[in-house]
Amino acid sequence: MVRIALVTGANKGIGLEIVRQLAEAGVQVLLGARDVGRGQAAADGLASKGLKVEAIQIDVTDGKSIATAAAAVRGRQGRLDILVNNAGIVDAEDGPPTMASPEAARRIMETNFIGTLSVTQAMLPLLRQSPAGRIVNLSSSLGSLTVNGDPTSPYYSARLIGYNASKAALNMLTVQLAAELSGTPIAVNSVSPGYVKTDLTGHTGYMTPEEGARLPVKYALLGEDAVSGRFVEPDGETPW
């Protein structure tokens, strides 16, 4: 049986590489993108190389868009085996708690946490139709409360209250959803891909998108003995 995956925010960066690597592993991938044209162009580029990739429009901040996407998957595929919640943003007006724009923090939270929660809820009935559903939430080491409070951490000075809080909230979703789905075939994990050169980081990372996609893809393809409720990065497990 060919597995079916949906990757959100996937027309560029890590998301596009996750789509590529899943498709190269034999997965049929739905490349989710907010912009129809960009999503279709990205999907066509991969499909032209013989990969099973098709575009699907989904804006994680738009409930109607999410519902339409879920209905489309239900109608065409009937189930979903893998959901990779990759869509996320940063905001130029974010910063330390004393300086960040509350509006920026709200925008970030709306996409990175509320959007992921909304997509997951909409796709969960389809994941329940899979013999081994997998949910991968793209997190960040900046979402770790332990890391944020450790002066010896290289991330200690990265004070972005909106972004960091959104990833901490995302991790809470992972913890609670994994507990709620305990005893089912669905595994849920938070995966930090590392510091990757993408538009989101201003291309200041030390990893390529291809390298950054490897760990999320690994957790998307976990077998029958899959772990659940973990927070991992390339160097190993991350403290919550």
Side-chain angles (χ1 to χ4, degrees), residues 35-55:
D35 183 282
V36 176
R38 291 177 182 175
Q40 192 63 57
D44 288 346
L46 295 177
S48 69
K49 299 176 182 178
L51 299 176
K52 293 181 179 179
V53 178
E54 63 180 273

Side-chain angles (χ1 to χ4, degrees), residues 58-70 110 118-119 122:
I58 182 167
D59 180 344
V60 304
T61 64
D62 183 333
K64 182 177 180 181
S65 169
I66 295 169
T68 299
E110 184 68 32
S118 299
V119 171

Side-chain angles (χ1 to χ4, degrees), residues 12-208:
K12 62 179 181 177
I14 297 175
L16 182 58
E17 278 300 322
I18 291 172
V19 171
R20 184 195 308 276
Q21 291 179 27
L22 285 174
E24 288 175 345
V27 179
Q28 180 183 341
V29 188
L30 304 175
L31 186 157
R34 180 175 53 185
D35 183 282
V36 176
R38 291 177 182 175
Q40 192 63 57
D44 288 346
L46 295 177
S48 69
K49 299 176 182 178
L51 299 176
K52 293 181 179 179
V53 178
E54 63 180 273
I56 185 168
Q57 197 278 333
I58 182 167
D59 180 344
V60 304
T61 64
D62 183 333
K64 182 177 180 181
S65 169
I66 295 169
T68 299
V73 176
R74 186 178 304 109
R76 293 201 299 263
Q77 284 83 20
R79 74 173 197 284
L80 197 61
D81 300 292
I82 299 165
L83 172 62
V84 180
N85 286 309
N86 170 73
I89 64 168
V90 294
D91 195 297
E93 296 180 13
D94 194 13
T98 57
M99 299 171 61
S101 158
E103 289 74 21
R106 186 175 291 111
R107 288 190 293 268
I108 295 167
M109 192 67 73
E110 184 68 32
T111 296
N112 296 3
F113 172 58
I114 302 298
T116 296
L117 174 63
S118 299
V119 171
T120 301
Q121 287 182 344
M123 300 299 168
L124 198 53
L126 293 163
L127 286 158
R128 290 185 184 277
Q129 299 304 310
S130 171
R134 302 288 177 259
I135 300 173
V136 176
N137 293 326
L138 265 288
S139 189
S140 167
S141 298
L142 298 180
S144 165
L145 297 181
T146 301
V147 166
N148 275 268
D150 180 4
T152 68
S153 167
Y155 302 110
Y156 180 69
S157 62
R159 295 190 180 93
L160 299 168
I161 187 61
Y163 184 80
N164 294 17
S166 75
K167 293 303 184 178
L170 181 70
N171 287 344
M172 181 62 75
L173 171 61
T174 295
V175 168
Q176 291 204 0
L177 188 58
E180 191 174 0
L181 295 175
S182 177
T184 78
I186 301 175
V188 190
N189 292 287
S190 279
V191 178
S192 172
Y195 193 26
V196 182
K197 298 175 184 177
T198 65
D199 288 351
L200 189 141
T201 64
H203 297 274
T204 59
Y206 57 83
M207 298 170 66
T208 66

